Amino acid sequence: MIMPGTSRRTAAALAALALAGTLAAGCAAGASTAGMPLRSAAAPSPSGSDCWRPGTSGDDWDSWGPGMGPRMMGRDDCSWGPGMMGGHYWQRGDGAPVKTLDQARQRADAFADRLDLRVGEVMQFSKNFYAELETPGGKLATEILVDPADGDTGIEYGPAMMWNTDYGMHHRGQTQTRISPDQAQDRAQQWLRDRGSDLTAGEAESFPGYYTLHTLRSGKINGMLSVNASTGAVWDHTWHGTYIATSEH
């Protein structure tokens, strides 16, 4: 996503998540933990085209259907601002490119302060920077993205927005945890195996309502998956691009 207009496409994907949230949540809530197909939920298109287009169909963000595009908000440029969701999920950057993990951590710190959280692990990918936010007591709270083009920062697409029961869009709808960390890792591994992938699922990290795991190739980080702690649904983080580096606390 390191290209002109990046923040607008990033914001559009988040807007689509807001509008499609009830669909994603309803799909996850309807899944059973026994014999449930390990199918990935919809996620922003990895092609970089996050704006809704009429006449499309399928299982990506270009296909949520009429009424869910930018025109619903009276905008034609696939952009949106903090007024969309009260500024809770998104913070505008200063327009300067974010090129290093230290710079990304600074942006993540500024966002975390708004939620009385602190920044833990920060990762650099070819399309964005990713950071884990923690409570003052050290519990994992949520996941955020930093746009390398201009520093725009917000709650990550997908599980952090849809499944997080404390900091997501559906935080009032608490769900029962039925899946343990080991079961989440097993489900993620089965999901990968069913798709003929040579990746392996790493240790499951517990966020409110779901788990996130690194996917590994020969023991090295490749990407991420999340597993819903109630339904066991698997969501592939397709939006990061190629993994580059990690900064711990």
Side-chain angles (χ1 to χ4, degrees), residues 33 165 173-179 209 228-232:
T33 57
T165 54
Q174 299 293 320
T175 57
Q176 182 178 355
T177 298
R178 298 185 176 91
I179 305 295
N228 190 291
S230 177
T231 68

Side-chain angles (χ1 to χ4, degrees), residues 48-70:
S49 178
D50 292 321
C51 298
W52 173 80
R53 297 193 303 271
T56 57
S57 62
D59 204 20
D60 61 305
W61 284 118
D62 291 335
S63 62
W64 280 105
M68 292 187 177

Side-chain angles (χ1 to χ4, degrees), residues 46-232:
S47 67
S49 178
D50 292 321
C51 298
W52 173 80
R53 297 193 303 271
T56 57
S57 62
D59 204 20
D60 61 305
W61 284 118
D62 291 335
S63 62
W64 280 105
M68 292 187 177
R71 290 180 183 273
M72 183 173 180
M73 295 170 280
R75 304 291 295 272
D76 295 328
D77 61 355
C78 260
S79 64
W80 67 289
M84 171 69 187
M85 292 180 282
H88 179 76
Y89 298 98
W90 179 79
Q91 179 170 272
R92 186 181 299 280
D94 59 8
V98 178
K99 299 181 179 180
T100 69
L101 285 164
D102 285 343
Q103 291 172 338
R105 185 175 290 278
Q106 292 174 12
R107 297 305 313 164
D109 278 333
F111 186 86
D113 285 345
R114 294 152 44 103
L115 301 177
D116 295 322
L117 299 173
R118 67 187 190 189
V119 180
E121 181 180 75
V122 179
M123 303 177 72
Q124 183 177 7
F125 291 88
S126 60
K127 294 185 177 181
N128 50 53
F129 290 89
Y130 160 97
E132 296 178 342
L133 300 190
E134 303 174 350
T135 67
K139 293 182 63 177
L140 290 172
T142 190
E143 303 165 283
I144 64 173
L145 297 178
V146 178
D147 191 323
D150 53 18
D152 283 4
T153 306
I155 299 293
E156 187 182 19
Y157 320 132
M161 185 73 76
M162 295 294 120
W163 289 348
N164 194 303
T165 54
D166 288 350
Y167 297 92
M169 292 178 60
H170 306 286
H171 60 276
R172 293 180 180 86
Q174 299 293 320
T175 57
Q176 182 178 355
T177 298
R178 298 185 176 91
I179 305 295
S180 70
D182 287 345
Q183 289 172 323
Q185 186 176 21
D186 289 344
R187 283 187 176 273
Q189 188 60 60
Q190 186 62 52
W191 188 91
L192 292 167
R193 188 179 300 116
D194 287 348
R195 283 149 185 78
S197 175
D198 62 349
L199 297 174
T200 58
E203 182 179 351
E205 295 186 313
S206 180
F207 290 88
Y210 69 102
Y211 302 94
T212 290
L213 313 85
H214 296 317
T215 55
L216 310 171
R217 175 172 283 117
S218 301
K220 298 181 179 180
I221 296 173
N222 177 270
M224 295 183 191
L225 291 176
S226 290
V227 178
N228 190 291
S230 177
T231 68

